[in-house]
Amino acid sequence: MNTLPGRRIRVLAATTATAGLMLVAAACTSTDDGGSGSKTAAGGVELVKAGQLTTCTHLPYPPFQSEIDGKVQGFDVSLIDLVAKNLGVKQVITDTPFENFKTGAFLNSGQCDLAAAGMTITDERKKNVDFSDPYFDATQAVLVDKGAGVASLADVKSKGVKLGAQAQTTGEDYAKKQGFDPVSFESSDAVLNGLRTGQVKAVIIDYPVVQGWLKDKANAGAFKVVDNLNTGEQYGFTVKKGNTKLVDAINKALADAKSDGTYKKLYEKWIGPYDASAASPSASASAS
């Protein structure tokens, strides 16, 4: 990614992703609306491949998407499964380099129907893709080694503690604006590994990711959250510009999930204790 704001604006080296790797998500449906190779699903939604809703993502990014027990699972995956079910097809996930997401390259080339990767909604991105309604509000966490002797991001700076961040993310951008020269890691896994191995003693990254890390007792014993930075950003799913029928289908699935309790159930499964504000994010909010 470039300097565009956005919590999940990530550029990972192409060598860390396998473009075109097809992974069937867990809990998918299996019927094709057309029944005979039709690319038109329920509601007149046109698909790039018959019988499947093809989703571009970049792995791993738990708890939104990661491979667990041989299947791609996570919060994003579960929400898009609801869309696929409504369309009468299965969701199939394609693992792709994230730098293509901001341009909508894989959507424009017909490789994918939509992109789901914990992506922040930004005005700059809207020039290239159409976003669904926001489905998640997120904050950035400052996670530190318990032995670092710091209790805030200000401490990290004043004491000269080495800070890490994921490349091309809001966390990295925020750190630079605060006068840090953070160590840049290509993925969330690499950020955690940098903390574990002592390359850095503190990191800035999405709080839901930290929540997932701290479910592991070893991580919880070694690290602690000392700051939570609310930058007002929201996640959305993207489709090729002009694909209004698919946007409508995504928005309907999200609205239904929030009204019938499915969203809350999935949130608690993948993210943690339910935050009611996340269920009704303001569509007018924008990243800073």
Side-chain angles (χ1 to χ4, degrees):
M1 229 80 24
N2 53 25
T3 57
L4 292 178
R7 174 167 290 101
R8 266 285 281 167
I9 300 183
R10 307 191 300 153
V11 177
L12 302 190
T15 55
T16 67
T18 304
L21 175 62
M22 302 298 287
L23 300 157
V24 179
C28 293
T29 56
S30 59
T31 58
D32 178 11
D33 173 68
S36 58
S38 173
K39 290 185 179 181
T40 304
V45 175
E46 294 294 327
L47 304 174
V48 297
K49 291 187 178 180
Q52 68 182 55
L53 182 63
T54 309
T55 301
C56 274
T57 194
H58 187 90
L59 300 171
Y61 197 70
F64 296 95
Q65 56 273 321
S66 59
E67 191 168 351
I68 304 170
D69 298 327
K71 295 180 179 180
V72 181
Q73 303 182 54
F75 189 60
D76 284 359
V77 178
S78 295
L79 290 177
I80 298 302
D81 273 342
L82 300 177
V83 181
K85 182 178 180 180
N86 288 348
L87 295 179
V89 298
K90 64 183 179 180
Q91 179 183 184
V92 174
I93 293 177
T94 303
D95 186 19
T96 56
F98 200 84
E99 59 263 31
N100 294 281
F101 285 44
K102 65 180 181 181
T103 64
F106 289 132
L107 300 172
N108 293 331
S109 67
Q111 184 171 338
C112 298
D113 295 300
L114 63 91
M119 292 181 292
T120 298
I121 299 170
T122 72
D123 290 338
E124 188 66 25
R125 282 174 175 262
K126 288 179 180 178
K127 296 176 181 178
N128 300 314
V129 297
D130 285 344
F131 276 93
S132 69
D133 290 338
Y135 67 91
F136 186 79
D137 289 342
T139 59
Q140 297 256 358
V142 180
L143 186 70
V144 305
D145 187 307
K146 288 184 176 180
V150 297
S152 65
L153 184 61
D155 274 356
V156 173
K157 187 173 185 179
S158 65
K159 296 183 179 181
V161 173
K162 199 64 177 176
L163 179 71
Q166 190 170 331
Q168 305 295 334
T169 63
T170 298
E172 183 180 58
D173 185 56
Y174 183 88
K176 289 179 178 178
K177 288 180 178 178
Q178 299 304 310
F180 290 95
D181 181 20
V183 176
S184 183
F185 295 96
E186 290 183 342
S187 69
S188 60
D189 281 0
V191 172
L192 178 57
N193 186 59
L195 198 56
R196 284 173 169 167
T197 59
Q199 296 177 62
V200 294
K201 292 294 184 179
V203 299
I204 296 180
I205 198 165
D206 291 20
Y207 182 58
V209 175
V210 170
Q211 284 180 296
W213 290 348
L214 295 181
K215 288 179 182 179
D216 181 279
K217 290 183 178 179
N219 290 335
F223 313 123
K224 65 179 179 180
V225 175
V226 296
D227 256 334
N228 215 313
L229 312 171
N230 188 354
T231 52
E233 294 168 75
Q234 299 174 314
Y235 293 169
F237 301 117
T238 64
V239 303
K240 183 178 179 179
K241 287 196 74 66
N243 193 350
T244 57
K245 289 185 177 180
L246 182 52
V247 169
D248 290 344
I250 296 170
N251 290 342
K252 182 181 186 303
L254 291 175
D256 289 348
K258 289 171 183 177
S259 65
D260 67 16
T262 301
Y263 182 97
K264 180 177 183 291
K265 180 180 179 180
L266 294 175
Y267 189 102
E268 290 174 338
K269 176 181 179 179
W270 294 111
I271 308 298
Y274 181 65
D275 178 357
S277 67
S280 301
S282 170
S284 62
S286 61
S288 58

